[in-house]
Amino acid sequence: MLSGPKIWLYMAAVFVGTLPIVAHTQMKPGNQAQPARLTLDQVVTHMEQARLRNKQTPPFLLTREYQMFHGDESTPDSQVKAQISVVPPDRDYKIIESKGSDRGEKVVRKILEHEAAAEKLNPSPTAIVRNNYDFTDAGREMFEGVLCYVLGLKPKREEPSLIEGRAWIDPDTFAIRKIEGKLAKSPSWWVKDVALVINFGEIGGLWIQTASHAVADVRVVGRYTVLDRALNVQTADSVAMNMAAPKKNFERRHTNLPAAFLYGTGSAARR
């Protein structure tokens, strides 16, 4: 039977690499008139072009919260907050709060380390692009008040970093609004199924992953759930505005901001 530490190691394997990292400057709808109905190839091409066009982002600092649950428990076994500093092409992080089991922090560290490594690959192993997926036309559906294009996702390889399911695409910006499905391959014999729902949206002028809900069915020990949500985003512009405030107030409020984020050089120091 799996011991407590081994359970959390498998959970780390499940959630490392499953979440696409999407962050770019929020796009405005194009001025050109779009056809009432695009073909599947046109939608995929526009989506890939939007991703490439916005691959380079301005520096930003994201605060994200993770919660981990066992079975039907309403209280998380572990709750972790992390700050992710992104100065393209580099990203770094620090844990700013950890409650409950310390194994939760270990899982979060593995997730964030994988994110940093994946973003340096081209294309990213989690990217929703033709190199990773075959696409099908799944029609159009309303999501958060927007009539989105819906793409069926068929992974080209059986890898834990790919998702079999569907993606909801914004009809104006062609940014991904939602992904729902299951892992193309389990990372371990112990993990039977992993279901995912990932939401994206605009925060602080950036289009990022706003929340995710991942549920893994682990043999013998049952179901585990990992939730994450974006709490706050600070861009270089917002920091510059704060820097214009009196020096004493700025130092009191922002001493925890990494130098790399403020000045755009090097990597932030991991703590």
Side-chain angles (χ1 to χ4, degrees), residues 3 54 78 104 135 147 155-156 162 173 175 177 183 185 202 211 219 221 225 237 269:
S3 64
N54 296 280
S78 182
F135 297 97
L147 183 59
K156 289 187 173 181
L162 299 177
T173 65
R177 283 185 166 269
L183 294 193
K185 180 181 180 181
E202 188 271 332
R219 298 179 193 274
V221 297
T225 302
D237 287 343

Side-chain angles (χ1 to χ4, degrees), residues 2-269:
L2 284 175
S3 64
K6 286 185 179 179
I7 292 171
W8 285 99
L9 287 174
Y10 282 120
M11 292 308 295
V14 167
F15 298 108
V16 163
T18 61
L19 306 183
I21 310 305
V22 176
H24 55 69
T25 304
Q26 170 66 339
M27 295 176 290
K28 303 296 184 182
N31 294 324
Q32 69 274 22
Q34 294 286 354
R37 176 78 179 190
L38 298 180
T39 66
L40 171 62
D41 185 65
Q42 288 173 321
V43 172
V44 174
T45 297
H46 283 311
M47 178 187 66
E48 292 185 329
Q49 289 174 344
R51 177 179 179 275
L52 290 175
R53 195 163 52 242
N54 296 280
K55 182 65 175 173
Q56 296 300 318
T57 70
F60 67 93
L61 189 69
L62 168 66
T63 302
R64 192 187 286 168
E65 178 185 62
Y66 300 82
Q67 292 181 316
M68 298 164 205
F69 301 82
H70 180 212
D72 296 323
E73 295 176 359
S74 59
T75 301
D77 287 343
S78 182
Q79 187 169 330
V80 179
K81 289 183 183 179
Q83 269 187 350
I84 300 101
S85 172
V86 180
V87 182
D90 298 320
R91 65 171 56 212
D92 213 328
Y93 73 90
K94 67 176 180 179
I95 303 299
I96 59 175
E97 184 178 298
S98 183
K99 299 179 181 178
S101 170
D102 62 353
R103 300 186 192 108
E105 180 175 331
K106 294 176 182 178
V107 171
V108 170
R109 287 187 180 277
K110 287 183 178 294
I111 292 172
L112 294 174
E113 287 165 4
H114 178 87
E115 287 182 0
E119 281 301 282
K120 293 184 178 181
L121 300 178
N122 187 25
S124 166
T126 64
I128 310 299
V129 294
R130 288 186 177 96
N131 281 2
N132 294 332
Y133 290 93
D134 290 319
F135 297 97
T136 58
D137 185 346
R140 300 190 73 173
E141 289 184 12
M142 294 294 295
F143 178 68
E144 296 183 340
V146 177
L147 183 59
C148 296
Y149 292 102
V150 184
L151 301 180
L153 305 178
K154 182 67 175 178
K156 289 187 173 181
R157 303 172 300 279
E158 290 190 358
E159 295 179 357
S161 59
L162 299 177
I163 298 171
E164 183 175 354
R166 300 195 297 169
W168 283 253
I169 311 301
D170 188 280
D172 292 318
T173 65
F174 295 94
I176 298 173
R177 283 185 166 269
K178 177 184 176 183
I179 297 172
E180 183 172 348
K182 62 181 182 178
L183 294 193
K185 180 181 180 181
S186 170
S188 164
W189 177 88
W190 288 101
V191 180
K192 293 193 290 184
D193 294 296
V194 181
L196 300 163
V197 178
I198 309 164
N199 292 334
F200 303 86
E202 188 271 332
I203 301 179
L206 295 178
W207 192 267
I208 65 171
Q209 178 184 310
T210 56
S212 70
H213 182 172
V215 181
D217 185 5
V218 183
R219 298 179 193 274
V220 181
V221 297
R223 187 173 70 253
Y224 275 84
T225 302
V226 174
L227 307 179
D228 84 66
R229 61 188 179 115
L231 300 179
N232 178 262
V233 172
Q234 289 180 276
T235 64
D237 287 343
S238 66
V239 171
M241 290 178 64
N242 285 324
M243 290 181 71
K247 183 176 181 181
K248 182 181 295 185
N249 291 338
F250 176 81
E251 289 178 345
R252 176 173 54 83
R253 293 195 304 263
H254 297 284
T255 52
N256 64 330
L257 291 176
F261 172 72
L262 294 174
Y263 305 113
T265 57
S267 299

